[in-house]
Amino acid sequence: MTTLKSRLLSVCAACAVAVPITSFADVNVYSYRQSFLIEPIFTAFTEETGIKVNSVFAKNGLVERLQNEGRNSPADLLLTTDSGPLYQAVDLGLTQAISSDTLSQNIPAEFRDPSGHWFGLSSRARLIVASKDRVDASTIKDYEDLAKDEFKSQVCTRSGKHTYMVALSASIIAHHGLERATAWLSGVKNNLARKPQGNDRAQVKAIQQGECDIAIINSYYIGKMLADEEQIKWAESVNIIFPNQSNRGTHMNISGVSLTAGSPNRDEAIKLIEFMSSDKAQSIYAETNYEYPVKADVSWSDLVKSWGTFKTDSLPLAEIAKHRSDAVKMADIVGYD
Ligand code: FE
């Protein structure tokens, strides 16, 4: 990884004086997002700007790594699969604010930090899915319905402390207050068919295999399962429900990015973030990973279009994030896991 700007020397032939030319530095990215998705975006960025991108991918521990490296970290950007690690990094003082007209124009206000420390780059709906064979999908309209007695022993989810579940619980707290949200989560827990386990796709597999009937998952996993020979039958066993259409709208989450506090290549890193919010990069998010572009005028993939348009919860993620620590405590209080 390059931490210093490399310099080239060229010779002015006419005047025969050595003229220093500063080349663009590389941008170094710590990424929780997988290579298959971000490499095409980085390649397009390098083609357009000549700036190289070096990335380190890991499923866990990148925020801790940034913290341990401190000001010596070569990382310019932290790229995440969810808003949780962004808040963690901001809370630890590992990020810095950016003010960019391009980012303000391309990314809706609810999907970025008001103080400029993080930016959403793609969004996804937290869907309810229900067995086509065993559940009348019209009986489930809202996340709140999952706590109703009629769905006893039918629901399965991943851990209540996973960042996707924490974000949803935090949004319920933001809308209903802690007391009602705790009663809701307790109701969902009482309806669980099994101990929370596995990832989002594992919940759909469990429905297909008859272990449970109703689950909560991120929207892009439907697309990923439909594109997988083994998993297609899982996806085809469920109906998709966009929750809360007659009230506040479906809970959305983001993948996103922060500029590190000590970014050695700040200007180039900001260029990369701006590029990731551009039409070109937003289309890659839409087509490669079945996500919703955050930039309003970028088309959804044909598959995602086929699920239809829907109302989204417009409460800013920064407001929802204020309730994250209560959401984690709430999972403990109700003994969710
Ligand atoms: Fe995911």
Side-chain angles (χ1 to χ4, degrees):
M1 283 201 167
T2 310
T3 56
L4 294 171
K5 285 197 170 188
S6 52
R7 286 174 184 279
L8 299 176
L9 280 180
S10 85
V11 176
C12 168
C15 45
V17 178
V19 180
I21 298 171
T22 306
S23 76
F24 284 121
D26 295 0
V27 178
N28 300 321
V29 180
Y30 283 2
S31 175
Y32 285 121
R33 297 226 82 176
Q34 295 174 56
S35 308
F36 83 91
L37 173 66
I38 52 171
E39 284 305 329
I41 294 173
F42 293 164
T43 302
F45 173 70
T46 303
E47 276 167 13
E48 197 167 299
T49 62
I51 302 170
K52 251 186 75 186
V53 182
N54 307 305
S55 60
V56 172
F57 165 76
K59 268 194 141 165
N60 298 297
L62 290 176
V63 172
E64 293 74 10
R65 181 168 167 177
L66 266 179
Q67 194 179 15
N68 292 336
E69 290 169 345
R71 290 280 162 169
N72 296 320
S73 178
D76 296 295
L77 299 179
L78 175 68
L79 200 58
T80 70
T81 56
D82 180 58
S83 50
L86 296 175
Y87 300 121
Q88 193 192 354
V90 174
D91 285 347
L92 291 167
L94 301 174
T95 62
Q96 61 173 299
I98 302 170
S99 160
S100 154
D101 290 342
T102 303
L103 293 177
S104 303
Q105 279 160 22
N106 289 352
I107 304 171
E110 67 264 30
F111 290 150
R112 53 184 157 83
D113 179 27
S115 57
H117 279 263
W118 56 263
F119 296 86
L121 296 172
S122 62
S123 76
R124 55 291 284 277
R126 195 93 182 122
L127 301 175
I128 296 174
V129 291
S131 166
K132 282 179 183 166
D133 296 337
R134 300 184 299 276
V135 179
D136 173 0
S138 71
T139 59
I140 305 170
K141 299 253 184 286
D142 300 334
Y143 298 111
E144 287 78 353
D145 292 337
L146 300 181
K148 288 181 176 168
D149 289 341
E150 65 190 270
F151 299 116
K152 189 92 192 153
S153 301
Q154 287 193 276
V155 178
C156 58
T157 74
R158 67 195 307 162
S159 163
K161 290 187 188 174
H162 184 273
T163 183
Y164 297 156
M165 294 300 289
V166 168
L168 175 61
S169 292
S171 84
I172 305 271
I173 298 172
H175 286 289
H176 295 314
L178 186 56
E179 202 175 314
R180 276 180 67 193
T182 306
W184 169 76
L185 192 66
S186 177
V188 178
K189 184 218 146 71
N190 289 335
N191 286 342
L192 290 176
R194 60 175 193 175
K195 191 178 156 56
Q197 59 196 272
N199 57 22
D200 279 9
R201 276 185 264 202
Q203 314 312 316
V204 187
K205 180 184 182 187
I207 292 176
Q208 191 263 331
Q209 297 189 339
E211 283 184 66
C212 58
D213 303 321
I214 303 162
I216 311 173
I217 68 162
N218 281 355
S219 50
Y220 53 86
Y221 287 118
I222 295 288
K224 287 158 96 83
M225 288 185 288
L226 288 173
D228 183 294
E229 222 173 282
E230 190 205 338
Q231 299 173 2
I232 185 167
K233 61 178 182 288
W234 308 347
E236 286 180 340
S237 75
V238 296
N239 282 314
I240 297 171
I241 298 160
F242 287 93
N244 299 77
Q245 292 306 287
S246 60
N247 43 72
R248 66 181 179 273
T250 297
H251 170 65
M252 304 297 286
N253 213 321
I254 52 154
S255 76
V257 67
S258 283
L259 181 67
T260 64
S263 168
N265 312 295
R266 190 175 188 275
D267 293 348
E268 292 82 358
I270 293 171
K271 277 200 181 82
L272 177 55
I273 300 180
E274 289 175 344
F275 181 79
M276 286 190 282
S277 76
S278 70
D279 287 35
K280 195 177 217 171
Q282 289 289 300
S283 290
I284 296 175
Y285 279 116
E287 295 295 335
T288 313
N289 209 42
Y290 314 104
E291 290 183 271
Y292 295 97
V294 289
K295 190 166 186 288
D297 50 354
V298 175
S299 301
W300 302 357
S301 77
D302 287 342
L303 175 70
V304 171
K305 269 187 212 157
S306 75
W307 303 336
T309 55
F310 60 101
K311 181 180 175 185
T312 61
D313 183 351
S314 59
L315 190 67
L317 289 184
E319 287 301 311
I320 292 173
K322 291 176 184 165
H323 304 283
R324 286 187 72 94
S325 62
D326 274 343
V328 173
K329 279 185 220 151
M330 195 165 83
D332 274 333
I333 287 166
V334 308
Y336 193 84
D337 288 354

